[in-house]
Amino acid sequence: MRIVVLGAGHVGRAIVDALYEEHEITVIDTNADRLTWLADRYDVRIVEGNGTTKRVIREAGIQNCSLFIASTSREEANLVSAMLVKKLSGARVIVRTTSVEYLDAWREREIDVDFMVSSELETANAISGLIGIPAARQTDVFADGKVQVVEFDVPDGAGGNGVVGRKLRDAELPVDSKVVSIIRGDERIMPDGGQRVLAGDRIVVIGSPDAARQWSRVISHERQRVDDIVIFGGGRMGTTIAHVLLDRGIRVRFVEGRLERAREVAEEIPEARVFNASAFDSEFFERERIGHTTAAVFALNDDPGNLFSAVLAKSKGVQLTIALAHDQTSLHVYERGGVDVAINPRQVIAEELVRFGHDPRIRQIAMLDDDRFEILDLTVRAESELAGMRFDQMPETGSVIGAIIRNGDAIIPHSKDILRAGDRVIVFVESRRASTVERIL
Amino acid sequence: MKRKSGIEVGAALDLVGGVLKWMAPAFLLPTLVAIGYGENVWWAFVLAGVITGVAGYALDQITGDKEGAAVTPRESFLVVALLWLLIPIFGCLPYILAGGPQLSRPIDAYFEAVSGFTATGATLVPTIEDLDRSMLFWRQLSHWLGGMGIIVLAVAILPRLRIGGRQLLQSELAGPTEIEKLGQTIRETARRLWRLYVILTLIAILVLGFLGVSGIDDEMTFFDAVGHALSVVALGGFSTRTISVAAFSPVTQYVLLVFMIIAGINFLRLYRVLVQRRFDVLARDEELRLYLILILLGSILIGVEVIGGGYESGEAGVRHSLFQATAILTTTGFATADYAQWGPIATVTLLLLMFSGASAGSTGGGIKIIRHLLLFKLVRRELEQTVHREAIVPIRANNRVVDEKALRSLIVFVLLYLLVFAIGSLGLVIDSGRAGEGLSAFEAFGAAAACLGNVGPAFGFAGPYGSFEPFSDLSTLICTVLMWLGRVEIIPVVVILTRAYWRS
């Protein structure tokens, strides 16, 4: 496949790194140095120039390409460029943005691109997965957060909690949830009521956010659930994380050093408690009992600051420290310093940009377990043969309908429920059968 | 005139003149009433109208070369303070010119006119019915003209206020929070407010008139209906009867109760609800909630004593408690009973309610509910910040952040309000001792609070069935100044008294 990437910054590099072996990649950037740096390391074609002009886009060979990824940090440039590409070619267009507003406009189909990702939101979701559901390996959110798909590792020695070791139909499962896959060694099981979840399994669960949280408690009873968190740094990243966490019922406190910004944050997020204090002020930590909180996120502008503050927080007793890294080296330094989790937002968005959809009806695709499974988010057509059918009468297709979104409400279907045309469904499916499922629904 | 000053006095006077010119035609209405009832004082209104018109025109001419000079926020303080001083000067002319046995002394006439235009409702007339019908009508009309504010009307019609209108309307209506526009422009907003005001008045006239015509209330003549409609929509308090609303049937009293509650709501909100049918606006309004809670709470406190203490019983007890709490809190000042005779719990509650005031943006006076609400939130924040020193806690009203500057000036306003109240009541007792009026401490507090809050009747001889007539001239003057200060919300007057105001 021919791919054109706009931007040779951190994100562009990460995309090239992930895709260059299998695809023909052309990179556009205004900065010649960055381009030569890339060309020295990867087998890619480079085009120097302004990617928001027709001439440069044509020069990059847009007519013959099938995927265009606008990955610069300047979102307006990304958008202009994407619009031009949409006009000039039939390529699929993916745009990186930092603005949740653009993202909303895209979801409402007012911005005509195929996929749009926000590094802030993706990072916030990743952190929320780590915090709200501590035992989760991977979390995907569907239908504006009403449905979650979560992968758990069932710890060794788990048991005696009404779930592990029991047949699923007898187990005390959290309501509004469903086990859609059990992975045991090399075996992958689409479970029915007769199967059991065992210690050491990896399981995939679909359910409401509440149910997902309960699952984490059921599975990993030794860890405490986080319901209170301190965010250091009230930048855009910090506030986006706060919004996502507040949506999931987690209490948020902010520490922001600049008075002006602290005030803005306090005005923007009434539900959060905002402090105008230094992230390095030991006395402040004591006064506000920061050490009593179970988790803290460090989203300051500079990595050394994040490290210092995280280590200070750790020494005061914070159990889980999550620090954002602005470049790859920081990840190792953080690790040496004792930060529990380091996240590089650019890495997160690069990973997200590498994914893309096949069916235009699919709003979001998550690929689980090295692409062997997929989660599809589709709307049931009126002419679908499954519309109007009871769940226990549906044919075997190697897939599970994990959730239905009907009139804005998420339903976790049981055997007696009936699928209707127009339902939005979240389907867990083996990759090789994905196209079959898309056809049937 | 040539001295360098930071204030465009010319532009301010120009505007005042413009408003006075527009006030002149208003004298036509009482003239017609006088002719209609065959009263020979009609000439007094004509003459007063001519004088007002000429004065307005003259002010306009003298400062005419200032055409186009904009009224900035600085001038608007002067304009507001001057307008509420000058309008009653012209408004009291008919009382003086007619030369009747009551109100013909200038100081008395001025008191009555200030009480009228500030929608206070305190009167110097012991027996209201002795006045000519046309004079009675003029009293009621002055409430109506002053209530929603000649200022709002001026913003709506005067072309020169395209620029300075916003500040004027702000000082007139919005209280501590930003004014929300109803139309595209501030002019359109003022027009819509005025239209709402007129329509509400017409509805009140129709409903009250119907009660009279249908025989539900034999006492309610069409004249009374118009008079009380003008008074209630402006939350004024003047009545065409000495014993106020007590002269009418319970049904009428309930109707007036409803109108008082409606007129006490922020008109900007009211417009959204009644005209744009946005009922959710009211449901979420914090000020409205507190307003209704305070009315209910006040009524219960009063009712417990009124009914329990045997002053009134059954339905009458409930009605009088509700009506009186509402009439005082909204700063109307109507009365269905002589509450001055009630026990200490009821009278102290009423005195405290005088400090509440209606909603901001209504026609009522007083401190206003929203200020109490914000003050409460300020106190809560202070307490919170003693525990969490670094916490940043913005204060919100109806989910919108209130500017810190606005909060500071709010505190200053409330402090000034209490200071003026203290000086006023002190002045009244001192003067009472000199003149031998025998004013009790409580009555002095009551009179000061009732005037400053633009409520009207107080306690003792100045109670709902009585009048301010026993007061000496000096006390009358003190009350007049209090009413004026209350109407302009003190700050404009204090500001123009500072030296910094006049420097460039």
Side-chain angles (χ1 to χ4, degrees), chain A residues 266-267 273-274 276 287-288, chain B residues 384 388 390-392 396:
Chain A
E267 290 179 5
R273 154 84 74 210
V274 180
N276 173 226
R287 251 198 320 275
E288 292 298 336
Chain B
E384 221 172 288
H388 303 288
E390 289 91 351
I392 304 278
R396 286 156 211 274

Side-chain angles (χ1 to χ4, degrees), chain B residues 97-114:
Chain B
L97 293 171
Q102 312 188 81
L103 296 182
S104 58
R105 294 173 61 234
I107 189 158
D108 294 351
Y110 190 62
F111 174 94
E112 199 76 5
V114 169

Side-chain angles (χ1 to χ4, degrees), chain B residues 30-91:
Chain B
T31 313
L32 293 177
V33 172
I35 294 170
Y37 282 106
E39 294 169 351
N40 49 21
V41 290
W42 59 268
W43 62 269
F45 295 105
V46 174
L47 189 55
V50 170
I51 295 173
T52 309
V54 168
Y57 185 73
L59 266 182
D60 219 6
Q61 284 302 302
I62 295 170
T63 57
D65 56 321
K66 298 272 182 190
E67 193 68 55
V71 179
T72 67
R74 255 174 105 170
E75 277 82 30
S76 72
F77 290 117
L78 187 61
V79 172
V80 167
L82 271 184
L83 270 179
W84 292 111
L85 265 187
L86 288 180
I87 289 171
I89 287 189
F90 294 97

Side-chain angles (χ1 to χ4, degrees), chain A residues 382-412:
Chain A
E383 59 268 24
S384 165
E385 49 190 275
L386 296 185
M389 197 176 274
R390 264 171 57 150
F391 274 83
D392 52 359
Q393 290 164 352
M394 284 184 192
E396 271 296 321
T397 54
S399 66
V400 182
I401 295 181
I404 300 173
I405 293 106
R406 189 179 286 164
N407 302 327
D409 295 323
I411 304 165
I412 307 298

Side-chain angles (χ1 to χ4, degrees), chain B residues 66 89 163 186 190 228 269 287 336 353 359 366 408 436 448:
Chain B
K66 298 272 182 190
I89 287 189
I163 298 163
I186 209 77
H228 284 87
R269 301 277 141 69
E287 185 180 25
T336 55
L353 285 179
S359 314
R408 271 208 309 276

Side-chain angles (χ1 to χ4, degrees), chain A residues 74-133:
Chain A
R74 295 166 53 217
E75 45 200 335
E76 280 79 11
N78 287 349
L79 277 177
V80 170
S81 183
M83 294 298 135
L84 279 175
V85 171
K86 270 274 160 197
K87 282 270 176 232
L88 295 175
S89 80
R92 237 166 229 302
V93 172
I94 303 179
V95 170
R96 173 195 176 192
T97 179
T98 54
S99 144
V100 178
E101 276 83 10
Y102 286 155
L103 206 64
D104 285 341
W106 169 69
R107 283 204 188 108
E108 287 154 20
R109 295 170 201 284
E110 277 142 11
I111 294 178
D112 179 29
V113 298
D114 296 291
F115 202 61
M116 197 179 251
V117 213
S118 142
S119 45
E120 275 80 2
L121 201 60
E122 291 304 326
T123 309
N125 279 333
I127 288 176
S128 141
L130 282 163
I131 288 167
I133 309 151

Side-chain angles (χ1 to χ4, degrees), chain A residues 340-380:
Chain A
D340 296 302
V341 183
I343 294 183
N344 183 347
R346 293 198 185 95
Q347 199 61 37
V348 172
I349 188 143
E351 278 164 20
E352 195 60 32
L353 283 173
V354 170
R355 302 172 176 182
F356 57 91
H358 358 231
D359 186 323
R361 291 183 298 154
I362 299 174
R363 301 201 198 169
Q364 193 171 357
I365 293 184
M367 296 181 191
L368 293 171
D369 198 32
D370 302 334
D371 296 359
R372 252 176 285 214
F373 291 94
E374 286 185 19
I375 295 159
L376 306 178
D377 178 348
L378 336 134
T379 304
V380 179

